[in-house]
Amino acid sequence: MTMEYESNSWIWDGLYYYPHFFGGLMLTAALLGVSTSYFGGIGVFSLPHLWSDCFHKKKCGKKKRVRVYMDGCFDLMHYGHANALRQAKALGDELVVGVVSDEEIIANKGPPVLSMEERLALVSGLKWVDEVIANAPYAITEQFMNRLFNEHKIDYIIHGDDPCLLPDGTDAYALAKKVGRYKQIKRTEGVSSTDIVGRILSSMEDTKACEDHNNASLPRDPLRAIQSKDAHLSQFLPTSRRIVQFSNCKGPGPNARVVYIDGAFDLFHAGHVEVLNILKLF
């Protein structure tokens, strides 16, 4: 019974998608049936095959989902990373993210602050990310590019508009650009992992200076402290337009349970992600 229903499902598809066309075919079939029984011997084309071919095109003609790939170190995850992944997801239907291995980061940039496990947890927690590839290479090699295209069915490789150069000065995405499978997004200005490290060091210097001031009972220059702090201020502006870009543009349903949590969430890390994931279960 189930098999019979499935085999004739194209009829119901036809009724739904093409009611007028389907009605015309039924009328034609009726007329041909009458003429064939009256005249006899007239060859009639096979309507079931015609209908099946027509309506199966609706299923076969479904738009292919575009899969895009973006990689990165994602060390000391910040809103610039989140904005980059948001832009990348907008260029396709499914976003696959490669998290560069510790060894590759050390070889190309220096030792990361966060471990691979911590960086994976941060990237996986973002709503725009559909899949994650651990221990991705820093550069898009031919072997890895073929793996992306064949194994992960990637359509485009994405990176920001800031240059990404290898130690020898070559472009890390040269191969992807050469084969025409590269797309570019806009880098978020005013923030970087290096800048965050600079803020931490500046904060430590201010703390030490304050301790020295308290111990020595010497007057501290407040203007210098303010200038030092301003030098590392973020340029991120949380405008209403930016907030909408990061939201899903919909509120809770009428029977939804709303859970509230607050926190400083400074230097957002894997522990924050774990707590938020737990709250989603309530």
Side-chain angles (χ1 to χ4, degrees):
M1 187 68 179
T2 303
M3 292 179 61
E4 181 181 353
Y5 174 79
E6 290 177 351
S7 63
N8 293 327
S9 63
W10 56 267
I11 296 177
W12 304 109
D13 289 345
L15 285 169
Y16 181 82
Y17 292 110
Y18 305 99
H20 299 296
F21 181 57
F22 191 89
L25 286 175
M26 293 295 290
L27 179 60
T28 304
L31 293 173
L32 285 172
V34 171
S35 62
T36 303
S37 61
Y38 183 79
F39 293 104
I42 298 179
V44 182
F45 54 87
S46 176
L47 286 175
H49 289 293
L50 173 64
W51 294 337
S52 179
D53 291 343
C54 288
F55 299 125
H56 275 302
K57 286 181 180 179
K58 180 68 181 180
K59 293 183 178 180
C60 296
K62 283 183 178 179
K63 182 181 176 182
K64 178 185 178 296
R65 293 183 66 79
V66 177
R67 288 170 60 83
V68 296
Y69 171 83
M70 185 175 190
D71 58 17
C73 303
F74 303 106
D75 195 21
L76 295 176
M77 174 73 80
H78 50 72
Y79 68 83
H81 292 134
N83 194 35
L85 295 173
R86 178 192 66 81
Q87 293 180 74
K89 180 62 178 285
L91 295 178
D93 300 302
E94 298 172 2
L95 173 60
V96 180
V97 179
V99 180
V100 178
S101 69
D102 295 341
E103 294 76 17
E104 289 276 285
I105 298 176
I106 292 172
N108 291 277
K109 300 182 68 173
V113 176
L114 302 181
S115 67
M116 167 60 69
E117 290 74 19
E118 291 173 310
R119 292 183 286 118
L120 283 173
L122 286 167
V123 173
S124 301
L126 292 179
K127 64 180 181 180
W128 301 287
V129 178
D130 297 293
E131 296 177 28
V132 178
I133 299 176
N135 296 309
Y138 188 81
I140 301 295
T141 62
E142 185 172 359
Q143 180 181 2
F144 185 70
M145 186 170 65
N146 290 332
R147 179 186 164 194
L148 289 177
F149 294 158
N150 299 323
E151 181 179 335
H152 297 281
K153 308 301 179 185
I154 298 300
D155 297 290
Y156 297 102
I157 295 171
I158 299 173
H159 186 64
D161 55 9
D162 54 317
C164 183
L165 302 179
L166 300 174
D168 61 1
T170 58
D171 186 353
Y173 295 88
L175 286 176
K177 294 176 181 178
K178 184 177 180 180
V179 298
R181 304 281 285 273
Y182 176 84
K183 287 190 175 184
Q184 193 165 273
I185 60 170
K186 185 173 179 57
R187 183 185 182 278
T188 305
E189 298 295 336
V191 65
S192 68
S193 297
T194 303
D195 175 65
I196 290 175
V197 171
R199 294 188 216 176
I200 295 171
L201 295 175
S202 176
S203 177
M204 292 175 63
E205 290 174 359
D206 289 344
T207 302
K208 186 177 184 302
C210 184
E211 291 174 350
D212 293 342
H213 160 67
N214 292 333
N215 293 333
S217 297
L218 295 175
R220 188 185 180 204
D221 186 355
L223 180 60
R224 181 179 177 184
I226 294 172
Q227 290 174 340
S228 175
K229 186 176 181 181
D230 288 345
H232 294 281
L233 282 179
S234 168
Q235 302 301 312
F236 180 72
L237 295 176
T239 61
S240 57
R241 177 175 176 271
R242 179 72 73 186
I243 292 172
V244 168
Q245 287 178 332
F246 277 78
S247 72
N248 56 12
C249 298
K250 64 179 182 180
N255 299 318
R257 177 177 293 181
V258 179
V259 179
Y260 169 81
I261 184 174
D262 58 15
F265 299 108
D266 193 21
L267 293 178
F268 197 73
H269 53 73
H272 294 133
V273 174
E274 184 177 355
V275 169
L276 295 176
N277 282 331
I278 292 173
L279 289 176
K280 288 167 62 178
L281 301 176
F282 283 82

